[in-house]
Every structure is written in structure tokens, then in C-alpha cells.
Amino acid sequence: STMEETDREAVATAVQRVAGMLQRPDQLDKVEQYRRREARKKASVEARLKVQSWINLSCKLQSCQAMLRTLNLTGNKELRKNHLCIPCREVAAFEYLKIISIKLFKNHSCSRSPAFFLVPLLSHIYCLYFDSGGVLCVIFLLCLSVPEIVRETHDLIERGELLQAHRKLMDLECSRDNLMYEQYRMDSKNTHDMNLIHTYFGDMQKLSEELAKQLWMVVQRSLVTVRRDPTLLVSVVRIIEREEKIDRRMLDRKKQTGFIPPGRPKKWKEKMFNILERTVSTRIEGTQADTRESDKMWLVRHLEIIRKYVLDDLLVAKTLLDQCFPPHYDIFNRLLNMYHQALATRMQELAAEDLEANEIVSLLTWVLNTYTSAEMMGNSELSPEVDVNSLDALISQNVVDQLLSKYMSTLTSNIIGWLRKALETDKKDWIKETEPEADQDGYYQTTLPAIVFQMFEQNLQVAAQINEDLKTKVLILCLQQMNSFLTRYKDEAQLYKEDHLKNRQYPQCYVQYMIAVINNCQTFKESIISLKRKYLKSDMEDTLSISHANMDATLDIIAKEGCSSLLDEVFMDLEPHLNELMTKKWLMGSNAVGTICVTVEDYFNDFAKIKKPYKKTMTLEAHRRVVVEYIRAIMLKRISFKNAEERKEGAERMIKEAEQFRFLFKKLAAGSGEDTEGLCDIIEAIAEVIKLTDPSLLYLEVSTLVSKYPDIRDDHIAALLTVRGDASRDMKQTIIETLDQGPSQPNPNYVPIFKEITVPTLTVPKLLK
């Protein structure tokens, strides 16, 4: 046959050529070189043959197209009748087209899209037959293979083989886009044919959307995916990068030709960042697990979960995610900005809610301190990429000021309420039938100071978490309210005393609770100093000095009035015994002073539970009042001694009783280091005036007394001489007038005592013997 002859000729020619190449021995070394050269020639010939086969195919397609055109365009029934074999030929032609198209689309060995080979042929047909029939033919040719490619791509997407799926999708899109471009180039106004192409490639658009959906799912879970399967994320980024390149190419072509395929530019990179942004926002919003109704600590929990999530996410983004994206994506900084913006939005939403005082503090502490601390953005592992100093504020200063203002307003009313409640609770304790508790040193106290200052301390610690300025404002507020509170405390202590005086049997532990009130004053003083030292800057000391002085003064008044009311209690019990002094009964040997001393000592067993500063004052005041009451008893002129013997007996009794008082108060003042003996010396000095046996020396003795105690008045001297019982009216007059002329040189340490003692102006009748 002709084929066999051709083969024999080819072999003979080849043998001759090889013989020509290998005529000399040295040419054997070049065998490999010859072989490569021949292989290149062979490849070139095969390529030319393939091109020729495409040209032949084109010719055949043209014939088929002509046949179809004839069939479609003719309306002549006769023609159809005379060409009964045409449908058969039509089927044969379509079958042929189908085989060719599938073969072309299945040619996976080609490095470029199958459309690269197919479109020139289609374009050729298109140029020759530019009408609906021609378009239908071309689409038919493509669509024979498109559904199969779509199915294969869909399967790849479902299996998660996204890169391969995208490769097939790009091939399909390339075919469609080139076909559309040829249509546009030939006749840009033929929208019917353009829409026809678009319709036949409709499934491909769904395929693109399906693939995109898979990509966005991966992007949404990127911070999880990057830990489990970073290659999947890398594949997604590669697909997005491919699409970005195609977008750029299509936009460039649009500038040159005005044509751009439907759906372009896809802007998948932009969409990816939008998805990430929504994901970040949703992540932050979704951390609120509770509401105020279900959990009072809802905001603290919400903020702590946000802190943990954001820190964890950013650490993953820096260490892992950053490696999956090209550098120009600047993915870490983009994510950082997204988190910051999402946080700012969330914090502004929270700030706009009707927050309680403690919630305002939680929010401001988090926004102003926690956010930039080492527990979050200031974490050393985020450095140096995150610079906390360059981060914008999460909420504006105006909003911060509004929140602080609301906080201070709420805190003020809260503190007033807390203090009022604390005082009401304390007052209930005052009427208990059990003694108050004592501190570790045995001093009576109530829980009031501890409760008040614990409350102050808690609020100051909270304020200190936000900033120094707020801490100072809260301290000033606490001390201002403390000032008002102490005034109420003073009034309540006074009412307590008045209620007790109405019925001295009630309350049962009045003395002990009044001691506790006095001790509380000292505790309040110490606590105020401690609070200022701990929370107030030294340069702010002056601003509170007046307020502090006022509080100290109020506390001293409360304590002084408390001590006074306790001494009133003592002297009410002493009254019957004091009434016995300087009477005939007293002179006859009454034990009134012994009873007075025992009673005072008994009361002072309770008064030992008073803290030292006030106990010392109490002892001094008790000593002073006993002496004053004793001297007042003398000045009442209850007795007038009849003779020297009675005067001597009375004076000796006075000296003895002065010594009893001295011993008692020395014992009571033990450890205070206070010299109180001088008070009893006054009794002894008066006793010396009464004891004097020589009346001519009376003036001298009285003048000595007056020089020591210059607040003695004329009526005191007259009363004293009356008690002596031996001074005539003229003698009294002379002594008093002479004393008025004499110089007075008092002891500078003397505290006037006689000015407290009034002398009855009416003559007191002699008591019955």
C-alpha cells in the first residue's frame, strides 16, 4: 500500500542520513548531540502537523456550520422535503463537534487553558458566520464539555481541593471571557448574542459563588485554621492572589478596549478583609455571656473574656497567621486595627448604657488601664509590633468625663446612704443588754468606724485603679461626707444621753456604750490620718487641712460631751454623799468621802475601757469635779464651827479626806504621768485657814491662800470665815478690804477653780445639831 511505501522510504532516508553523520570514528562521540538535534526537529514537525490538523478541523467546522446555517435559515418546505438526509447529516456533524470539543477540553497535558486552543477556531467560525445561528453553534460546541467540567469542579470544591477547583474555574472563565471578548470585538452592540453566551455559562457563575463561600468559611475561622491546617489557609490566599491578578488584567484590558466580563472585578481581597472585620466584631460582641439581671458581675466577666480573646488572637496572628500571607497584605497590622476599631465600638456601646457606679469603674479601669497593660496590648510577646503609646483612645475624653461625673454623683448619694445606714445600725447596738465588744487592748468599741473606713477604703482602691485624679476626688468626697456624718453622730450621742436621763435604768449598758462612742472618736481620728497618709499626695495636704481640723474638733466635742455625760452619771450617784459633807453628821464621823471614793473607783473600773487620750482627760476631770464639789460643800456654809476644838477636828478631817482623794486619783491616773496632787492642796490650804488657832494671824493665813488661788472672791472668803465661826462682821470686812489692796502673784500653772463655785447670797440657817 501507499502507507507502507512511504514508511519504507522514510526508513531508507533515515539510514542514509545516519550513515552520512557517522563516516569517521571521531563522529561517534557526537551521537548524543545528533540525537538531541533530531528530537528537536521531530517536535517541530509534529507541532506544524498539529496546527495543520486544527486548520483542517476549522475547515470541517466551517462545512458543518454552513450545513446548519442552511438548515436553520431556510423556510422552504420543498427544500426540507428534498433534503431528507440533512437531519442525519446534522446529527453526524454534531457528534463530530462533540468529540472534538471534549477532546480539546480534556487535553490536560496542555499548560494553558483548553480555551486557548478552542477559541481561535470558534472565532474563525464567528467571523465567517456572525449571526444567531453562528453563536448557537459555538455555544453548543462549548456547552458539550462545560457541564462536565462544572461537575468535576463542584466535586473538587466539596472534597476541599480548592486550588484544583479554582484552576478549572479559571479555565472555564477564560473560555467564556475570550468568547465574549471576540463577540464584543466583532459587534459590541449585539447584546442578544452576548446574553446568550452569559446564559449558557450560568452554572459557572454559581460555581464561583460556591468556591467563594468555601473561601470565606476558611477566612472566618482563619485563627483556628492556621493552628490546625495552615496549608488550607495558604491555598485560600493563593486563590485570592490569582483572582487579584485576573482583576488587574481585566481592568487593564477595559482601559484599552472598553470590555470587561461580567462579575469582574471580583475584589476577593477586599471581601476577605471585610469578612475578617465582621468576624472580629462578632467575636467581641459575642463575649457577653450574662446580663445584669442574671449576674451582677456581668461586665467584669464580659471585659475579661474580651481581654483574653483579643490577646490570644493577636498572639496567633503574629506568630502563625503572618506567615500565611504575602508581606504586602500587612495582615497583623490590619487585624490589629480591626480589633482596635471593634473594641472602640463595643466600649462606646457599653458607655452609652445606664451603668451603675461599680460598672462605670470596671469599664473605665479596663479602657484606661487594662487595655494598654502587660495583660493585653502591652504584652511583651506583641512587642515591638504593638506600641501602646501610639494606640488611639477607645473612648473619647468627653465620654470619660461624662462617666466620671456620673460616677461621682452616684458615689456621693451612695456614701450618704451607706453612712446613714451604718449609723442607724450602730444606734441599734447602743440599746442592747450586752456589753459592746472590746478591741485587742480591752477598749470598748462598736463596729461603726471599721464599717465606715472599710467602705471608704474600698471606694478609694477602686478609684486608684482608674487614675490619681479620681482617687483624690473620691478621698475629698469621703472626708466631706465624714464631716457631715460626724455632726449627725454628735447629735445622736446627745439624744442617747437625753433619753437615758429620762430613765437612768435604761439602756442597761448605757455607760459601756457611751465609752464605746468616746473610743470611736479616737479610732475615727486615727483612721482619718491613716487614710490621708495612704491616699493623699503631700502637695494636696493644705486643701484638706481645714476640713480635717473641723473633723478633729467635732470628734473632740463628741468625746468631751461623752466623758462629761459619764461624769454626770457618777456625780448623780455621789449627790447624796456630797450633801453629807460639811454637816454635823460629817463632823460626827460620816463615811461620806469613803463612799465617794469607792463609788468613783467602781465607775473607773469601767472607765478603764476608755482609750488613753480620753481616759486621761476623764481622770483629770473627775479629780477636778470631786475637789470642786468638796469646796462647794464648804462654801455652802452648812456648818459653823463653835470652838477651836471643832475647828481643829473639822480641819484635820478635811486634810485626811484630801489625802484620801489624792491617793484615789493617783491610783486612777497611774501611768498617765500627770501630777494631780495640786488640786487636793487647795482643800488642805482651806483646812489650814479653818485650823488656825490665833485669830490675829487670820489675815496672814487668808492672804497666803488668796495669793496661791487668785480667783477666790470676797464671797468665798466671807463664807470661809463664816464656817470658822469666830470672825466678827467687822473682822471679815477688814480682812476683805485689806486683801483687795494687796498685790497678787499667782502660779502661772494654776487653773482657776473657785470661779466655778457659787456662794449662796441668802443667809443659810444653822442646821440642826
Side-chain angles (χ1 to χ4, degrees), residues 462-477:
V462 164
Q465 292 172 11
I466 296 176
N467 56 39
E468 280 289 322
D469 183 47
L470 183 66
K471 184 182 74 175
T472 304
K473 283 181 182 174
V474 170
L475 177 61
I476 292 169
L477 170 64

Side-chain angles (χ1 to χ4, degrees), residues 357-408:
N358 62 314
E359 293 168 351
I360 290 172
V361 168
S362 297
L363 181 64
L364 288 178
T365 303
W366 199 93
V367 167
L368 300 177
N369 300 323
T370 304
Y371 184 58
T372 54
S373 72
E375 294 180 338
M376 202 170 174
M377 293 304 192
N379 188 289
S380 57
E381 291 182 47
L382 291 177
S383 181
E385 284 80 0
V386 180
D387 176 13
V388 291
N389 297 317
S390 64
L391 291 171
D392 293 334
L394 288 174
I395 54 178
S396 69
Q397 188 58 46
N398 185 36
V399 174
V400 171
D401 292 341
Q402 286 173 7
L403 287 172
L404 286 175
S405 175
K406 184 181 177 184
Y407 172 71
M408 289 302 290

Side-chain angles (χ1 to χ4, degrees), residues 145 351 468 496 520 729:
S145 298
E468 280 289 322
Y496 183 52
N520 284 351
R729 185 184 294 274

Side-chain angles (χ1 to χ4, degrees), residues 317-385:
K318 182 185 171 184
T319 53
L320 299 175
L321 203 68
D322 209 32
Q323 299 169 18
C324 298
F325 287 80
H328 66 270
Y329 273 57
D330 195 16
I331 191 68
F332 179 74
N333 282 320
R334 292 286 290 264
L335 268 174
L336 179 64
N337 288 331
M338 287 176 195
Y339 275 100
H340 181 82
Q341 288 306 315
L343 286 171
T345 303
R346 185 63 187 139
M347 294 308 126
Q348 285 157 15
E349 288 169 356
L350 290 170
E353 291 191 20
D354 186 20
L355 297 176
E356 295 176 357
N358 62 314
E359 293 168 351
I360 290 172
V361 168
S362 297
L363 181 64
L364 288 178
T365 303
W366 199 93
V367 167
L368 300 177
N369 300 323
T370 304
Y371 184 58
T372 54
S373 72
E375 294 180 338
M376 202 170 174
M377 293 304 192
N379 188 289
S380 57
E381 291 182 47
L382 291 177
S383 181
E385 284 80 0

Side-chain angles (χ1 to χ4, degrees), residues 10-23 37-38 41:
V11 169
T13 305
V15 169
Q16 284 178 357
R17 287 193 65 202
V18 171
M21 290 176 192
L22 302 176
Q23 289 180 355
R37 187 172 66 193
E38 290 305 314
K41 283 181 181 178

